[in-house]
Amino acid sequence: MDSCDHILTSLRSALVLLNGQDESVDNYTCVGNGHPATQAIIGDAGSSRSVAVLRTIGHFRIPLVSYFASCNCLSDKLEFPSFMRTIPSDAFQIKAIVRMVKHFKWTWVGAIGLDTDYARFGIQLFVEEAKRSGVCVAYAEFFPTTYKRERILEVVDIIRSSSAKVVLGFTGEGELIPILDEFKRQNITDIQWIASEAWATATLLWSEYRELLIGTIGFAIRKGDIPSLKSFLTRIRLSEAYSLPFIAEFWEEIFNCKLNNSLNLHAHASTSRKPCTGHEDLMTVENTYTDVTQLRVSYNVYKAVYAVAHALRNMNGCKTGQGPFANNSCGDIRNVLPWQLLHYMKEVNFTTFGQEVSFDKNGDPIASYDLVNWHEGPGGSVQFVKMGFYDAALEGERELFINDSIIFWHGGKQAPVSVCSNSCLPGSRKAPRKGQPSCCFDCIPCADGEISNQTDSIECFKCALEDWSNEARDRCLPKIIEFLSYEDTMGITLMFISIFGACVTIAVAIVFTIFRQTPIEKVERQLTTRYKSLLES
């Protein structure tokens, strides 16, 4: 069933599967003693569509195993108890993205996305995780699912005017096109993109937006290899196109021709295409369909199907009296109940082509991603070069590996700088700007007698009494003691004047101190004695 990237169509498709009737029948009453006709559903690809389907059919506890819905909201087992997936939750992806941002010393980053559950929850997580890690989000902007040029212009203007030169695009590949179109119109070419997994390997964007996207980095779904898949894909023959509408549409799109009495009823089917000759052969086609070198989403579908298969096999292997259900009973493999299948789904643990497949208590798989970098390959094609990985099964710093030496940056050979304020050098301190994020600050030079000897120091420290700060205000040095000789006439004169002034000051102070309490004759004698003593010293 094709959900057509549309919530209502997804719901209709799910109800058709639930009902077990032909798609053309509009009666969605479930058949057979209140039990649904379908025991498990692989899908949906989108998070918002999966949420809608689960809220509609959740009562039947049918396992819904998605291969591409990554919103962390779907990990809530109280609301979505029958949801599982072979793509990691965005909670792991966001953690990996923030660690990568820290690795490249980017402290001022923008984030944009389509106004969907996927982007809303993902960017919210990014803002929270970034704050905990000392990274500031310059802006977090969303554009509507229904195209509105005014809002697109607003978002692009925010990106263009910001000092943040690194932008996280947390959205699907097609959803980013209006933004990229406006980038081309305004010739905005200085942005380093971070791609979420939904478009990290979006080949279709390359031909039109190469100048904007070269050097993009992102976390992609781990790639898998499925032996014999290409030969399987190219076995489709023309005869199948005359019996299955999906194959008819596929055939006409691949060969850009029109079948006689075509079953392809989609509105976008072109009437101006030449007739199909009957000699078309998929073995001669080289495109994204026959390219099996980048099996990412497809590999997730493969793992989802095998998860259901392993669950069924485990159910079939249940020994009478040793089952997991009431009275130690087993499930009936000839009459599989969805809630019983769900039990076995949660417990599957198998390895396929070297990768372990299992689910945690939230129905999420072990999180792992390939970190890819967009290079230009032979003939101008895009190459997704693996520059690292993230694997939650590893511990601590080993979770994230980045090979800096093979990165091709959008702006050249060096990683771009994306900060609100440049670091404060030793000899100065950071002074926060009122009303702005912590990454935005001014650098204030240390005062005389104070120093800071670290970058981005938050305060200056006073030197000891016998020391003084150097000119750069980053070191305390001993004070210099100067000795005067008798030949230094000017020096002696200045010293005498200083002493004489001090004596007069002291004398006057003495007068005011004792005048009212001592007879005048005694005051005169005391002043004379002290004055002589001062002159002698």
Side-chain angles (χ1 to χ4, degrees):
M1 305 293 292
D2 192 349
S3 64
C4 299
D5 197 18
H6 188 256
I7 288 179
L8 291 179
T9 306
S10 296
L11 290 175
R12 187 177 189 278
S13 298
L15 291 171
V16 167
L17 292 173
L18 194 72
N19 186 38
Q21 296 186 5
D22 186 83
E23 185 179 0
S24 62
V25 179
D26 291 328
N27 177 12
Y28 299 126
T29 302
C30 296
V31 299
N33 300 320
H35 297 313
T38 299
Q39 288 79 34
I41 297 175
I42 307 296
D44 193 309
S47 295
S48 294
R49 300 192 299 277
S50 293
V51 168
V53 169
L54 286 163
R55 286 175 176 165
T56 303
I57 69 172
H59 170 72
F60 297 99
R61 298 175 68 184
I62 298 174
L64 188 74
V65 191
S66 178
Y67 48 87
F68 206 45
S70 59
C71 179
N72 68 302
C73 58
L74 288 163
S75 295
D76 185 346
K77 292 299 101 176
L78 291 177
E79 188 171 6
F80 309 115
S82 61
F83 179 77
M84 306 178 78
R85 52 184 159 194
T86 53
I87 185 172
S89 163
D90 285 334
F92 294 99
Q93 181 181 189
I94 291 300
K95 180 182 177 183
I97 289 174
V98 171
R99 284 190 58 178
M100 180 191 69
V101 167
K102 290 280 288 183
H103 174 83
F104 294 121
K105 297 181 172 57
W106 297 327
T107 59
W108 191 233
V109 179
I112 64 168
L114 193 72
D115 196 0
T116 60
D117 289 333
Y118 169 71
R120 282 281 178 189
F121 280 91
I123 291 178
Q124 179 184 345
L125 278 177
F126 177 68
V127 172
E128 294 170 356
E129 186 69 23
K131 185 177 181 180
R132 284 192 292 267
S133 301
V135 175
C136 297
V137 178
Y139 52 83
E141 297 295 329
F142 301 90
F143 43 98
T145 53
T146 303
Y147 177 77
K148 293 182 179 178
R149 178 165 169 75
E150 297 79 9
R151 180 54 185 156
I152 296 296
L153 290 173
E154 289 175 1
V155 173
V156 171
D157 185 62
I158 290 170
I159 298 173
R160 182 177 51 79
S161 59
S162 174
S163 58
K165 297 305 175 186
V166 175
V167 178
L168 168 63
F170 210 87
T171 186
E173 58 183 275
E175 299 159 358
L176 199 62
I177 288 176
I179 298 293
L180 296 176
D181 282 340
E182 198 56 43
F183 266 45
K184 288 186 70 173
R185 290 189 190 97
Q186 300 188 26
N187 195 30
I188 302 173
T189 59
D190 60 344
I191 296 299
Q192 170 68 52
W193 285 99
I194 298 175
S196 67
E197 98 295 338
W199 68 281
T201 54
T203 307
L204 296 177
L205 293 175
W206 177 256
S207 60
E208 188 70 22
Y209 309 105
R210 174 201 165 280
E211 293 79 9
L212 304 177
L213 299 178
I214 190 168
T216 292
I217 56 178
F219 285 93
I221 299 167
R222 291 292 289 270
K223 185 170 65 172
D225 295 312
I226 305 175
S228 304
L229 177 62
K230 185 167 184 176
S231 62
F232 170 79
L233 293 173
T234 54
R235 281 207 307 262
I236 297 175
R237 294 293 176 259
L238 177 61
S239 57
E240 297 174 73
Y242 285 108
S243 58
L244 296 170
F246 175 78
I247 300 298
E249 180 183 359
F250 163 78
W251 197 269
E252 293 182 349
E253 290 294 328
I254 289 289
F255 296 108
N256 192 30
C257 64
K258 184 72 176 177
L259 294 166
N260 290 329
N261 302 317
S262 175
L263 298 177
N264 181 12
L265 302 178
H266 280 190
H268 62 262
S270 174
T271 56
S272 61
R273 289 171 172 164
K274 65 182 186 300
C276 297
T277 64
H279 299 294
E280 292 83 11
D281 187 352
L282 285 171
M283 294 296 292
T284 64
V285 174
E286 291 293 335
N287 58 19
T288 54
Y289 175 75
T290 57
D291 180 11
V292 293
T293 63
Q294 294 290 331
L295 298 179
R296 299 182 187 274
V297 178
S298 302
Y299 187 46
N300 276 358
V301 175
Y302 183 90
K303 289 187 288 187
V305 173
Y306 265 81
V308 176
H310 277 271
L312 288 169
R313 186 177 69 175
N314 294 341
M315 177 185 286
N316 191 42
C318 180
K319 296 181 179 179
T320 304
Q322 299 179 20
F325 307 119
N327 300 319
N328 297 322
S329 62
C330 297
D332 184 358
I333 196 67
R334 293 164 299 181
N335 182 27
V336 177
L337 300 179
W339 64 270
Q340 293 179 336
L341 179 61
L342 180 62
H343 169 84
Y344 283 100
M345 287 284 296
K346 293 177 179 179
E347 295 185 342
V348 297
N349 191 326
F350 62 96
T351 300
T352 172
F353 307 129
Q355 290 190 29
E356 181 184 349
V357 179
S358 62
F359 303 95
D360 64 15
K361 63 181 181 181
N362 296 320
D364 294 325
I366 300 169
S368 62
Y369 300 93
D370 287 337
L371 183 52
V372 297
N373 182 213
W374 291 31
H375 289 213
E376 183 171 6
S381 63
V382 62
Q383 285 189 330
F384 302 115
V385 177
K386 184 177 178 179
M387 53 172 274
F389 64 82
Y390 176 85
D391 191 341
L394 303 177
E395 296 181 357
E397 296 299 319
R398 296 195 304 149
E399 283 184 336
L400 178 66
F401 170 76
I402 298 176
N403 184 356
D404 297 80
S405 63
I406 64 173
I407 301 175
F408 183 90
W409 293 108
H410 178 74
K413 295 182 178 180
Q414 299 295 324
V417 176
S418 191
V419 296
C420 182
S421 301
N422 291 319
S423 292
C424 293
L425 299 175
S428 63
R429 63 177 176 84
K430 292 166 63 173
R433 293 175 184 169
K434 188 175 181 180
Q436 295 193 30
S438 59
C439 302
C440 302
F441 49 82
D442 295 313
C443 298
I444 308 299
C446 294
D448 290 344
E450 296 182 348
I451 67 158
S452 68
N453 56 9
Q454 294 182 340
T455 301
D456 286 335
S457 179
I458 59 173
E459 58 182 325
C460 297
F461 303 94
K462 288 188 176 181
C463 294
L465 187 62
E466 63 274 11
D467 293 336
W468 195 248
S469 56
N470 64 351
E471 186 176 352
R473 303 289 193 270
D474 59 2
R475 292 176 59 199
C476 289
L477 302 175
K479 292 179 180 178
I480 299 175
I481 302 175
E482 295 185 355
F483 297 92
L484 299 175
S485 65
Y486 286 106
E487 289 79 13
D488 191 350
T489 308
M490 180 60 72
I492 296 295
T493 303
L494 291 172
M495 184 178 68
F496 177 77
I497 293 172
S498 299
I499 293 174
F500 182 77
C503 293
V504 172
T505 303
I506 293 171
V508 172
I510 292 172
V511 169
F512 279 100
T513 302
I514 64 176
F515 179 75
R516 292 186 179 180
Q517 301 175 1
T518 310
I520 189 63
E521 296 83 7
K522 190 173 182 179
V523 171
E524 185 178 3
R525 287 195 303 273
Q526 290 177 345
L527 287 174
T528 301
T529 301
R530 295 187 183 187
Y531 189 64
K532 286 181 179 180
S533 176
L534 285 168
L535 286 178
E536 289 172 359
S537 66

